[in-house]
Amino acid sequence: MATMAFTHSNQSLLRPRSFAVKDDCFCLFEGTLENLASLRQEYGLSKCVNEVLFVIEAYRTFRDRAPYPACKMVGHLEGQFAFVIFDRGTKTVFTAADSNGKVPLYWGITADGCLSFSGDAELLKAACGKSLASFPQGCFYSSASGLRSYEYPKNKVMGIPTMDGEMCGTTFKVEHENISASMV
Protein backbone atom coordinates (compact mmCIF):
# COMPACT_ATOMS: atom_id res chain seq x y z
CA MET A 1 0.00 0.00 0.00
CA ALA A 2 1.19 3.52 -0.76
CA THR A 3 -0.09 6.95 0.24
CA MET A 4 0.88 10.23 -1.41
CA ALA A 5 -0.06 13.72 -0.27
CA PHE A 6 0.51 16.98 -2.12
CA THR A 7 0.00 20.66 -1.36
CA HIS A 8 0.99 24.02 -2.83
CA SER A 9 1.29 25.43 0.72
CA ASN A 10 4.59 27.29 1.24
CA GLN A 11 5.59 26.56 -2.35
CA SER A 12 8.55 28.49 -3.75
CA LEU A 13 7.90 30.33 -7.02
CA LEU A 14 11.32 29.19 -8.22
CA ARG A 15 10.69 25.53 -7.31
CA PRO A 16 7.07 24.72 -8.19
CA ARG A 17 5.47 21.46 -7.02
CA SER A 18 3.45 19.30 -9.34
CA PHE A 19 1.65 15.98 -9.27
CA ALA A 20 0.66 13.70 -12.14
CA VAL A 21 -0.57 10.18 -12.77
CA LYS A 22 -0.06 8.28 -15.99
CA ASP A 23 -0.48 4.55 -16.58
CA ASP A 24 -0.41 3.65 -12.87
CA CYS A 25 2.69 5.79 -12.21
CA PHE A 26 2.09 8.49 -9.59
CA CYS A 27 4.69 11.26 -9.35
CA LEU A 28 5.29 14.20 -7.02
CA PHE A 29 7.88 16.59 -8.47
CA GLU A 30 9.37 19.77 -7.03
CA GLY A 31 11.75 22.06 -8.88
CA THR A 32 12.67 22.77 -12.47
CA LEU A 33 14.64 21.04 -15.20
CA GLU A 34 16.91 23.43 -17.07
CA ASN A 35 17.24 21.05 -20.02
CA LEU A 36 13.55 20.12 -20.34
CA ALA A 37 13.29 21.34 -23.96
CA SER A 38 16.18 19.16 -25.16
CA LEU A 39 14.95 16.19 -23.10
CA ARG A 40 11.48 16.45 -24.69
CA GLN A 41 13.11 16.42 -28.12
CA GLU A 42 15.37 13.47 -27.22
CA TYR A 43 12.41 11.41 -25.94
CA GLY A 44 10.08 12.50 -28.76
CA LEU A 45 7.59 14.21 -26.44
CA SER A 46 5.36 17.19 -27.21
CA LYS A 47 6.16 20.71 -26.04
CA CYS A 48 3.26 20.66 -23.57
CA VAL A 49 4.96 17.96 -21.44
CA ASN A 50 6.08 19.54 -18.17
CA GLU A 51 8.69 18.29 -15.67
CA VAL A 52 6.44 15.88 -13.78
CA LEU A 53 5.10 14.26 -16.95
CA PHE A 54 8.58 14.06 -18.40
CA VAL A 55 9.90 12.25 -15.30
CA ILE A 56 7.07 9.71 -15.54
CA GLU A 57 7.73 9.14 -19.25
CA ALA A 58 11.49 8.81 -18.74
CA TYR A 59 10.99 6.42 -15.80
CA ARG A 60 8.60 4.26 -17.86
CA THR A 61 10.99 4.25 -20.82
CA PHE A 62 13.89 2.94 -18.74
CA ARG A 63 11.65 0.55 -16.77
CA ASP A 64 10.25 -0.99 -19.94
CA ARG A 65 13.51 -1.13 -21.90
CA ALA A 66 15.62 -3.10 -19.46
CA PRO A 67 18.56 -3.60 -19.04
CA TYR A 68 19.08 0.18 -19.20
CA PRO A 69 19.79 1.31 -15.63
CA ALA A 70 17.74 4.03 -13.93
CA CYS A 71 20.92 6.03 -13.27
CA LYS A 72 20.97 6.85 -17.00
CA MET A 73 17.54 8.49 -16.77
CA VAL A 74 18.30 10.53 -13.67
CA GLY A 75 21.80 11.38 -14.88
CA HIS A 76 20.32 13.26 -17.86
CA LEU A 77 18.33 15.63 -15.64
CA GLU A 78 19.85 19.09 -15.14
CA GLY A 79 18.39 21.56 -12.70
CA GLN A 80 17.02 21.82 -9.19
CA PHE A 81 14.69 18.92 -8.46
CA ALA A 82 13.45 16.19 -6.18
CA PHE A 83 10.77 13.67 -7.06
CA VAL A 84 9.05 10.55 -5.81
CA ILE A 85 7.38 8.06 -8.15
CA PHE A 86 5.13 5.22 -7.06
CA ASP A 87 4.62 2.64 -9.79
CA ARG A 88 1.45 0.80 -8.84
CA GLY A 89 1.97 -1.81 -11.57
CA THR A 90 5.33 -2.98 -10.23
CA LYS A 91 4.74 -1.82 -6.62
CA THR A 92 8.01 0.12 -6.83
CA VAL A 93 9.00 3.44 -5.27
CA PHE A 94 11.59 5.45 -7.21
CA THR A 95 12.94 8.77 -5.94
CA ALA A 96 15.84 11.10 -6.70
CA ALA A 97 17.28 14.49 -5.78
CA ASP A 98 19.56 16.82 -7.71
CA SER A 99 23.29 16.73 -7.13
CA ASN A 100 23.38 20.14 -5.42
CA GLY A 101 20.59 19.51 -2.91
CA LYS A 102 18.74 22.68 -3.92
CA VAL A 103 15.32 21.10 -3.34
CA PRO A 104 14.96 19.76 0.20
CA LEU A 105 13.93 16.12 0.48
CA TYR A 106 13.91 14.06 3.66
CA TRP A 107 13.23 10.40 4.29
CA GLY A 108 12.61 8.23 7.29
CA ILE A 109 10.89 5.19 8.73
CA THR A 110 7.48 5.75 10.32
CA ALA A 111 6.40 4.17 13.62
CA ASP A 112 4.60 1.42 11.67
CA GLY A 113 7.74 0.62 9.62
CA CYS A 114 6.85 2.38 6.37
CA LEU A 115 9.33 4.36 4.28
CA SER A 116 8.28 8.01 4.08
CA PHE A 117 9.47 11.03 2.04
CA SER A 118 8.75 14.74 2.48
CA GLY A 119 10.08 18.15 1.60
CA ASP A 120 9.06 19.31 5.10
CA ALA A 121 11.41 18.02 7.83
CA GLU A 122 9.05 18.98 10.66
CA LEU A 123 6.15 17.08 9.11
CA LEU A 124 8.31 14.02 8.64
CA LYS A 125 9.73 14.32 12.15
CA ALA A 126 6.17 14.05 13.49
CA ALA A 127 5.64 10.83 11.52
CA CYS A 128 9.09 9.26 11.87
CA GLY A 129 10.12 10.31 15.34
CA LYS A 130 13.87 9.87 15.69
CA SER A 131 14.51 8.05 12.41
CA LEU A 132 14.92 10.56 9.60
CA ALA A 133 17.63 12.14 7.43
CA SER A 134 18.13 14.39 4.42
CA PHE A 135 17.90 12.44 1.18
CA PRO A 136 21.45 12.24 -0.23
CA GLN A 137 22.30 14.61 -3.07
CA GLY A 138 23.07 13.07 -6.45
CA CYS A 139 21.39 9.78 -5.54
CA PHE A 140 18.28 7.83 -6.39
CA TYR A 141 16.44 5.19 -4.45
CA SER A 142 14.43 2.31 -5.86
CA SER A 143 12.58 -0.13 -3.65
CA ALA A 144 13.70 -2.75 -6.19
CA SER A 145 17.45 -2.01 -6.04
CA GLY A 146 18.13 0.29 -3.07
CA LEU A 147 20.07 3.55 -2.82
CA ARG A 148 22.55 4.36 -5.59
CA SER A 149 24.50 7.36 -6.83
CA TYR A 150 23.56 8.48 -10.33
CA GLU A 151 26.69 10.62 -10.53
CA TYR A 152 28.95 7.65 -9.71
CA PRO A 153 26.77 4.62 -10.59
CA LYS A 154 29.59 2.08 -10.28
CA ASN A 155 30.54 3.19 -6.76
CA LYS A 156 28.86 1.83 -3.64
CA VAL A 157 26.81 4.13 -1.41
CA MET A 158 27.66 3.54 2.23
CA GLY A 159 25.39 4.50 5.12
CA ILE A 160 27.08 5.61 8.33
CA PRO A 161 24.80 5.79 11.40
CA THR A 162 24.84 9.15 13.20
CA MET A 163 23.33 10.63 16.35
CA ASP A 164 22.41 14.29 16.62
CA GLY A 165 21.00 14.83 20.08
CA GLU A 166 18.00 12.51 20.29
CA MET A 167 17.74 12.02 16.51
CA CYS A 168 19.05 8.90 14.76
CA GLY A 169 20.04 9.11 11.14
CA THR A 170 22.58 8.30 8.50
CA THR A 171 25.29 10.13 6.60
CA PHE A 172 25.73 8.70 3.12
CA LYS A 173 29.06 8.43 1.34
CA VAL A 174 29.95 7.24 -2.12
CA GLU A 175 33.19 5.24 -1.73
CA HIS A 176 35.46 7.80 -0.02
CA GLU A 177 33.43 10.79 -1.28
CA ASN A 178 30.90 12.50 1.04
CA ILE A 179 27.61 13.23 -0.76
CA SER A 180 25.58 14.73 2.12
CA ALA A 181 22.86 13.82 4.56
CA SER A 182 23.03 15.64 7.81
CA MET A 183 20.41 15.01 10.42
CA VAL A 184 17.40 17.22 10.72
Side-chain angles (χ1 to χ4, degrees), residues 73-95:
M73 182 273 277
V74 183
H76 290 130
L77 306 180
E78 295 174 12
Q80 301 176 6
F81 64 87
F83 64 84
V84 177
I85 294 174
F86 174 66
D87 184 339
R88 185 166 53 186
T90 63
K91 308 249 185 297
T92 302
V93 173
F94 184 82
T95 190

Side-chain angles (χ1 to χ4, degrees), residues 32-157:
T32 57
L33 296 176
E34 296 167 2
N35 61 337
L36 182 59
S38 64
L39 289 170
R40 280 187 226 144
Q41 186 175 9
E42 184 180 332
Y43 283 77
L45 300 171
S46 75
K47 292 181 180 181
C48 66
V49 169
N50 63 6
E51 283 91 347
V52 69
L53 289 172
F54 172 78
V55 167
I56 290 173
E57 288 294 338
Y59 165 80
R60 290 177 55 238
T61 298
F62 280 90
R63 176 199 68 192
D64 297 342
R65 294 185 184 170
Y68 297 109
C71 62
K72 296 269 189 207
M73 182 273 277
V74 183
H76 290 130
L77 306 180
E78 295 174 12
Q80 301 176 6
F81 64 87
F83 64 84
V84 177
I85 294 174
F86 174 66
D87 184 339
R88 185 166 53 186
T90 63
K91 308 249 185 297
T92 302
V93 173
F94 184 82
T95 190
D98 70 73
S99 59
N100 297 316
K102 297 292 185 181
V103 177
L105 182 63
Y106 305 93
W107 61 339
I109 305 296
T110 62
D112 60 354
C114 295
L115 181 61
S116 186
F117 297 92
S118 179
D120 183 339
E122 293 304 313
L123 178 69
L124 201 58
K125 189 183 292 185
C128 296
K130 297 179 180 180
S131 176
L132 96 121
S134 294
F135 191 83
Q137 301 169 7
C139 286
F140 68 92
Y141 169 82
S142 169
S143 56
S145 60
L147 181 65
R148 306 269 316 268
S149 168
Y150 63 82
E151 294 183 298
Y152 306 100
K154 294 182 180 186
N155 298 7
K156 271 189 160 178
V157 178

